Every structure is written in structure tokens, then in C-alpha cells.
């Protein structure tokens, strides 16, 4: 399958499949580094890479066909795509473990098809919709966005999805709908960390956006990656992508979307509210309490070539989204 890409990314900058399938640079991720309070350049790297093959994944034919017909991305970006094996093999998905390789190693037990999503709260059309219902008549797009993790590593990812705003308009929010809350699947038989007695997370995983953030055209519901069905470890079959925010806002395996009048509780702001705020906008001027956010490690990276780059305000999308936060104190509303 040919992968659609923006016109301003030279083919010479995109890592060939034969190369990126032969690499795997990181066995342990920034979770360990964050606990020690170290910076981006000190993050540990792998001594024995593990391959994550870019292959067709199980999924219904209708979904594969819809993803294959996705339109070209309209958002221009000049950075090279992050190789598939890093996007699919270096993840935070704590339902499957706390190492970056755990999701790829263990999430095969997740059954993402069939799938349904409950639409609830302050809407005119609350219901439980199958994934096929949600995507019926939707023109999917390939959207190439930067992804910046709060742990100070980053990627450039070719998602396949559609604007969350399109779904919101279809379900007709009421005037009371000020926020959108999201909930991840809770199924301990397929997400083993949900039944761990050592977990500090109050499952299921929860996230939320202000309504104007949810309605912004950059905000995406993704169902694919690199022109193929979304891998389980990347949040199959439906995940949120908000490219100007830190990656923990990108909630995976969504089963509920609720429209609320009050700001919803979110998982990381409940666990550590002094470290992880509701807004989670990428901001190099506001450090995490235990490390700087001024720089990031762009994958692929290694000991000899750490690939450290400056972090951009709003992850480089300030021109499109800064107006959403006019007159807000970004240090207070972090």
C-alpha cells in the first residue's frame, strides 16, 4: 500500500521500511527517567532492539477499505515521519505495563472488533453506536501530526482519522455542554494491569477537553496508522489525537464520550494534580516539577545520536490554537 503524505515532506526524509523494520532503539522509556527526574538527553536506550513489523492487522474489511481510501493530509509539516516500529513499539498504555515495550508485547489479547461507543450526557442524540455506525459516511483523512510526550520524547505520526467536531455536530450537544469527557475500555481479562493489586490508577482511564478544544479542526479521532488499521498498542480501534497537547491526553480504546456542564475529572490530574493539569498544553516555558520541558528527544534516537531538539509552544501549532487560551495564565492552567 502506498502511504499518502504531505507534499512538502521529501521522500528522501522518510525512513524506508527495510531500515525501520531492522531497528528498535528503546527498551525502557521515559517512565524510569521521569522517576529519577532526569532530562531528555539522559533517557535510557535499548541495547537489543526488538522488531515491530509493519503488516496488515486483523480488522473488518469495511474498515480496511475506508482507511485505504483516506484523503491526503491538509496540515503541512516538514519533519520526517517517525519510523513505524517506533510509533508501534514505543508506547505508554499502562493497562499493559509500565515499560515502553509492554504494550506491543502484551496488547495482542485485546479484542477491538466488534466495538461500540456510548454517547451520553448533554446531547440531543445519546445512544450506543457501533464503530461502523460512527464511521458511516465519514471521509477519513491521513493527518500527519507531531506527538510530544510529557516525558520529553516526541514523534511525527501519520494518523488516519477524522475531526472530532464532525461527530460532535452529529450528536447535537445542548447549550449545557461545556466539556467533553472520554473513557477507555475497562476489561481486565484483556487489560491485565487493570486487575493488578499494585496499580495506583483508578480504572478506567479518563480524559477530557473543553468544548472549544474538542471542536477545533486539528482535534482528531484516529482509527488508523501508517495507512493501516490502528495497532492495539496504539489504542485500537479508536483513540483521541490532540496535537498541541501532551500525549497523555490522547486517550486510547475509547468506549464512552460524554458531554458535561462541569470540567470532568481526568486520570493523571487525579493522580498528581501538581504535575499533570487538565489542559496539558505543550509549553517549553513551563517545566514539569521534576524536569525541564524546553527540549525533547525526537525518535528515532540513540546514545551516540540523541536527537535532542527544542520544544515549540503548543507543539508548533500556536498559530492555529493560541487564541483558545487568550488571557489565560498558562502557568496556572497547565
Amino acid at each position: 500500500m502506498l502511504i499518502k503524505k504531505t507534499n512538502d515532506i521529501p521522500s528522501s526524509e522518510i525512513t524506508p521500511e527495510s531500515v525501520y523494520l531492522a531497528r528498535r532503539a528503546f527498551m525502557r522509556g521515559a517512565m524510569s527517567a521521569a522517576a529519577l527526574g532526569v532530562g531528555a538527553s539522559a533517557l535510557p536506550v535499548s541495547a537489543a532492539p526488538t522488531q515491530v513489523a509493519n503488516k496488515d492487522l486483523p480488522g473488518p474489511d469495511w474498515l480496511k477499505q475506508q482507511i485505504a481510501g483516506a484523503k491526503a493530509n491538509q496540515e503541512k509539516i516538514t519533519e520526517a515521519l517517525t519510523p513505524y516500529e517506533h510509533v508501534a513499539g514505543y508506547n505508554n498504555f499502562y493497562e499493559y505495563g509500565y515499560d515502553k515495550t509492554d504494550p506491543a508485547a502484551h496488547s495482542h489479547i485485546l479484542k477491538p472488533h466488534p466495538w461500540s461507543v456510548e454517547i451520553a450526557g448533554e446531547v440531543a442524540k445519546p445512544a450506543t453506536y457501533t464503530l461502523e455506525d460512527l464511521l458511516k459516511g465519514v471521509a477519513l483523512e491521513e493527518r500527519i501530526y507531531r506527538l510530544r510526550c510529557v516525558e520529553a520524547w516526541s514523534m511525527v505520526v501519520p494518523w488516519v482519522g477524522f475531526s472530532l467536531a464532525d461527530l460532535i455536530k452529529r450528536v447535537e450537544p445542548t447549550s449545557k455542554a461545556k466539556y467533553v469527557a472520554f473513557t477507555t475500555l475497562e476489561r481486565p481479562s484483556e487489560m491485565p494491569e487493570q486487575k493488578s493489586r499494585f496499580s495506583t490508577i483508578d480504572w478506567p482511564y479518563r480524559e477530557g477537553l473543553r468544548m472549544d478544544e474538542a471542536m477545533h479542526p486539528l482535534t482528531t479521532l484516529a482509527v488508523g496508522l501508517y495507512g493501516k488499521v490502528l495497532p492495539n498498542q496504539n489504542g485500537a480501534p479508536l483513540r483521541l489525537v490532540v496535537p498541541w497537547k501532551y500525549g497523555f491526553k490522547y486517550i486510547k480504546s475509547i468506549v464512552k464520550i460524554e458531554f458535561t456542564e462541569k470540567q470532568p475529572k481526568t486520570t493523571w490530574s487525579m493522580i498528581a494534580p501538581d504535575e499533570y493539569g487538565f489542559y496539558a498544553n505543550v509549553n517549553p516555558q513551563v517545566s514539569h516539577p521534576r524536569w525541564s520541558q524546553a527540549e525533547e528527544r525526537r525518535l528515532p534516537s540513540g546514545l551516540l545520536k540523541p536527537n535532542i531538539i527544542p520544544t515549540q509552544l503548543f507543539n508548533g501549532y500556536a498559530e492555529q490554537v493560541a487564541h483558545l487560551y487568550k488571557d489565560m495564565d498558562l502557568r496556572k492552567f497547565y
Side-chain angles (χ1 to χ4, degrees), residues 201-207 265-272:
I201 297 176
D202 179 19
W203 307 107
Y205 195 94
R206 303 170 181 89
E207 258 308 333
K265 293 182 178 180
T266 58
T267 291
W268 281 105
S269 60
M270 288 190 291
I271 294 173

Side-chain angles (χ1 to χ4, degrees), residues 102-145:
D102 284 342
H106 305 305
S107 65
H108 61 277
I109 60 177
L110 175 67
K111 298 179 177 65
H113 305 288
W115 195 266
S116 60
V117 178
E118 179 187 359
I119 306 294
E122 298 291 343
V123 289
K125 297 180 178 178
T128 297
Y129 297 85
T130 66
L131 183 63
E132 187 171 8
D133 288 336
L134 288 180
L135 295 181
K136 190 170 294 182
V138 172
L140 295 178
E141 297 178 344
E142 183 180 69
R143 298 181 165 204
I144 301 175
Y145 291 152

